[in-house]
Amino acid sequence: MDLHTRERAHLSGWTSHLMRALGIRGHHHSTALQIPFALIYLPLTAWLLLTVPVAVPVLGWGGVLLVVLVSAAAWAAQDRPTPPWAPAALCAADLIGLGAAVVALDAKGVMLTTLALLPCLWLAQAYLWRGAAWAVVGTFVLSATASWMDSRTQGFTDWPSPLVLPLVAAAMVSACAIITEHWEVQRHRLRQEQTRLDESLTERTTTTVLLQAMLASLDSAVVAFGTDGEILLSNTPENDLYALTWAGDVGEGDRLVFEEDGVTPLPFALFPSELARRGEVVSEHLMWFGRPSEGQRAVLATSRPMLDAEQHSHGVMVVYHDVTAVVSAMRVKDEFVATVSHELRTPLTSIMGYLELIRGDHEDQTSLLPDETLFYLGVVDRNAEHLLALVSDLLTTAQTTAGAVQISPSQVDLGRLVARSVESTTPRFAAAGVGLEHVAQASPAVHVDARRISQVLDNLLSNALKYTPRGGTVTVSTLVEARACAIVVSDSGIGMSGTDLDHVFEKFHRAQSATSRQIPGIGLGLAITKSIVDAHGGTITMTSTLGEGTTVTVWLPRAEAADEHAHGTVAEHLA
């Protein structure tokens, strides 16, 4: 393993033992560099001063004392912060002490000059290129002094010798400066990376805490699945709802999860959680958790993929909303509407019956009535009929909500059915000043309930008449395909916006364009129409442009495709 690939998490055993033996604690560079220099310089210089005749011994021993003092100071101060000038002062003291020994030992002191390389490396390591320059100058002065002292006794015969030590020092301190600078850059980058990682960790921790707090505060159940199908997270409501699906007598594939009717078991493969494990999503899927007799809960499940900025999937998030209270309230509302509508229908029918009897007596001249009274009776009759129509719509709506729309399909000539509806409504269009055009063409038999489809046509024509101003036109036509036929009703009326179009088949919804013009209605006609069409296995679509008009298309199965209707909707056959 080379220098570039070797990584260490701690000091080697040899380094640790050596530092302990030298009394070096931690990573104090001053002590780590000074002690080795002192251990070489002091014994060697003392031995030379004691064994070699010295001209000026005081100068040599003064250098030794200086190195001893600075070494002791470095060792004693290793637990304290090092000032910026300390390395330069320590190196200068070492070079002065070394120079004093060289001068005192005369020619014998030349061998000590190589020790100057240690302080030089220290200067380069501490001050980089500035320290390297100081080191080269210091070694040159020291080398020149040693050469001068040597020439006094032997003559100056080798002029390049004063340059050898400075050149060697220059090469070493340059390498040291480069390595140190590279190390400092790497350490700076590591600090930046560490700071970034710390910030990312803090941000992630904050996000995790926030996410956990948000999940804990939600009433809805949330569970996230990874791309491998494993659960990444879930909250307490999810665990509570999940517990409802278990019982002692059911297995993994027979959990207490039921379809929208609350009775039909939902296959395990169609559970939103199982679909999420396969990467599939669901939207507002209504289910029931638990036994019907033991606190069954209505749950609305929706799932969405978890995508990053590059649209890469990281799994699927499933949210379960407990809508038991909402479903129960809707049931109570529908039951109330059905009850009230039924109770209103009986007296209304009686009122209209007696009105008919009064008119019959007048026509038979049994009991003649004044013209003003007849006018009042006409007003009462028209409003009673209008009220009875509203009550009938409410009853039909309650039936469709309960899934009780009853149809009796048979083979019906669609062209004749449309023609009769157009003919019956023509007087109303003429009175309103709206044109009614029927594009007649040969149409095959369809498999429908004639009474219910007539109701659909009446609703569509009534809507077209209400929303088309005087002078406009309504067109009724039919389309024929291989397995289905269509009724198309187009008008040149006020139209509606795209927002209203998205909710047009919802109960009690009225378009903004209708309410702003105070057009009467309660928003049930199209909801009833769609439920009747759905009961036939057909489809109904609407396109509209605000200020230009609306087109409604109703597809119904042909008689010869009646057996296929049991296996799919008209839209599926057309596809």
Side-chain angles (χ1 to χ4, degrees):
M1 185 178 295
D2 59 27
L3 181 63
H4 298 287
T5 59
R6 184 170 63 245
E7 295 181 0
R8 290 191 180 276
H10 51 79
L11 297 175
S12 65
W14 168 250
T15 302
S16 299
H17 289 310
L18 182 60
M19 291 180 66
R20 282 197 298 270
L22 297 176
I24 302 173
R25 295 187 292 274
H27 301 279
H28 202 274
H29 296 121
S30 300
T31 308
L33 293 174
Q34 180 63 24
I35 296 301
F37 172 81
L39 290 177
I40 298 174
Y41 168 83
L42 292 176
L44 183 59
T45 304
W47 178 75
L48 289 173
L49 289 173
L50 292 174
T51 59
V52 176
V54 179
V56 189
V58 176
L59 184 62
W61 289 109
V64 170
L65 180 60
L66 178 62
V67 172
V68 170
L69 291 177
V70 296
S71 299
W75 185 86
Q78 60 180 317
D79 292 329
R80 300 176 184 177
T82 303
W85 50 264
L90 199 57
C91 290
D94 289 341
L95 291 176
I96 292 173
L98 191 59
V102 169
V103 172
L105 291 170
D106 206 354
K108 298 295 183 178
V110 175
M111 67 178 67
L112 297 177
T113 57
T114 55
L115 292 178
L117 294 176
L118 290 178
C120 291
L121 292 176
W122 188 5
L123 283 173
Q125 188 270 338
Y127 303 104
L128 298 178
W129 294 107
R130 183 177 56 179
W134 294 344
V136 172
V137 172
T139 53
F140 178 77
V141 172
L142 184 63
S143 180
T145 301
S147 298
W148 176 73
M149 296 298 297
D150 187 53
S151 65
R152 290 173 56 192
T153 58
Q154 302 181 13
F156 191 75
T157 59
D158 190 12
W159 67 267
S161 59
L163 301 178
V164 174
L165 184 62
L167 290 176
V168 173
M172 294 183 65
V173 296
S174 296
C176 181
I178 292 173
I179 294 173
T180 302
E181 189 172 14
H182 178 73
W183 178 74
E184 289 289 346
V185 170
Q186 294 297 322
R187 187 170 65 170
H188 178 69
R189 291 176 180 174
L190 287 175
R191 285 201 192 100
Q192 288 183 325
E193 185 66 17
Q194 182 64 41
T195 301
R196 188 188 66 81
L197 290 175
D198 290 341
E199 291 175 353
S200 299
L201 181 60
T202 302
E203 182 180 357
R204 183 171 181 177
T205 302
T206 303
T207 302
T208 301
V209 172
L210 179 61
L211 178 60
Q212 291 175 345
M214 291 176 62
L215 289 176
S217 63
L218 289 176
D219 293 331
S220 300
V222 179
V223 58
F225 296 90
T227 53
D228 57 356
E230 295 296 323
I231 296 178
L232 300 179
L233 60 86
S234 62
N235 62 351
T236 302
E238 194 277 334
N239 297 329
D240 295 340
L241 285 178
Y242 187 76
L244 290 175
T245 66
W246 288 99
D249 56 347
V250 298
E252 177 70 20
D254 299 311
R255 303 228 304 267
L256 299 176
V257 180
F258 302 92
E259 295 185 4
E260 188 172 348
D261 59 7
V263 178
T264 306
L266 183 67
F268 184 73
L270 297 182
F271 286 10
S273 57
E274 294 305 307
L275 294 176
R277 292 180 192 273
R278 300 196 296 268
E280 302 178 33
V281 298
V282 296
S283 180
E284 297 184 350
H285 180 67
L286 183 62
M287 308 171 295
W288 288 87
F289 284 6
R291 297 185 187 277
S293 59
E294 299 177 2
Q296 193 177 48
R297 310 295 296 178
V299 177
L300 193 67
T302 299
S303 63
R304 291 292 182 271
M306 297 184 293
L307 304 176
D308 58 20
E310 287 75 27
Q311 299 300 305
H312 296 152
S313 177
H314 295 271
V316 177
M317 178 81 73
V318 185
V319 180
Y320 299 92
H321 301 283
D322 188 341
V323 293
T324 307
V326 176
V327 173
S328 300
M330 291 177 64
R331 284 181 175 177
V332 172
K333 181 202 69 174
D334 293 334
E335 291 173 0
F336 173 77
V337 169
T339 301
V340 171
S341 301
H342 180 74
E343 295 298 326
L344 287 174
R345 190 171 189 173
T346 301
L348 279 173
T349 304
S350 177
I351 291 171
M352 295 179 67
Y354 277 101
L355 286 173
E356 187 66 27
L357 288 175
I358 294 174
R359 284 183 173 179
D361 290 343
H362 176 75
E363 292 174 357
D364 296 339
Q365 296 185 350
T366 303
S367 176
L368 297 177
L369 298 173
D371 292 339
E372 185 177 3
T373 301
L374 290 174
F375 173 77
Y376 292 155
L377 290 176
V379 173
V380 172
D381 188 37
R382 285 195 303 273
N383 283 279
E385 287 182 354
H386 178 64
L387 187 56
L388 183 60
L390 294 178
V391 170
S392 298
D393 285 347
L394 289 173
L395 278 173
T396 304
T397 301
Q399 292 173 354
T400 58
T401 302
V405 176
Q406 300 295 327
I407 60 172
S408 300
S410 61
Q411 293 191 18
V412 178
D413 187 319
L414 184 62
R416 290 183 181 179
L417 189 66
V418 172
R420 285 199 300 268
S421 293
V422 171
E423 182 180 356
S424 64
T425 55
T426 297
R428 293 168 54 199
F429 276 81
V434 177
L436 179 59
E437 298 179 1
H438 177 207
V439 182
Q441 66 177 40
S443 301
V446 291
H447 192 70
V448 298
D449 185 326
R451 183 178 64 85
R452 290 293 192 180
I453 297 304
S454 294
Q455 185 179 358
V456 168
L457 278 166
D458 290 343
N459 284 342
L460 295 180
L461 290 172
S462 176
N463 273 358
L465 178 60
K466 284 195 296 184
Y467 301 124
T468 303
R470 180 179 292 274
T473 303
V474 176
T475 303
V476 183
S477 59
T478 56
L479 299 175
V480 179
E481 295 288 348
R483 292 185 176 88
C485 296
I487 304 170
V488 182
V489 179
S490 302
D491 64 61
S492 59
I494 61 176
M496 67 182 68
S497 65
T499 303
D500 286 325
L501 195 61
D502 293 337
H503 305 278
V504 71
F505 294 113
E506 296 178 4
K507 290 182 293 185
F508 303 106
H509 176 78
R510 304 203 65 214
Q512 180 65 31
S513 55
T515 55
S516 62
R517 290 173 172 81
Q518 298 183 345
I519 298 175
I522 58 175
L524 288 177
L526 288 175
I528 293 172
T529 298
K530 186 178 187 306
S531 64
I532 294 174
V533 174
D534 289 343
H536 284 83
T539 59
I540 180 171
T541 59
M542 177 181 289
T543 58
S544 184
T545 303
L546 190 62
E548 296 183 9
T550 302
T551 298
V552 182
T553 304
V554 177
W555 287 96
L556 298 168
R558 291 178 57 169
E560 56 268 30
D563 57 336
E564 299 180 7
H565 168 236
H567 304 286
T569 65
V570 171
E572 292 170 344
H573 294 315
L574 289 174

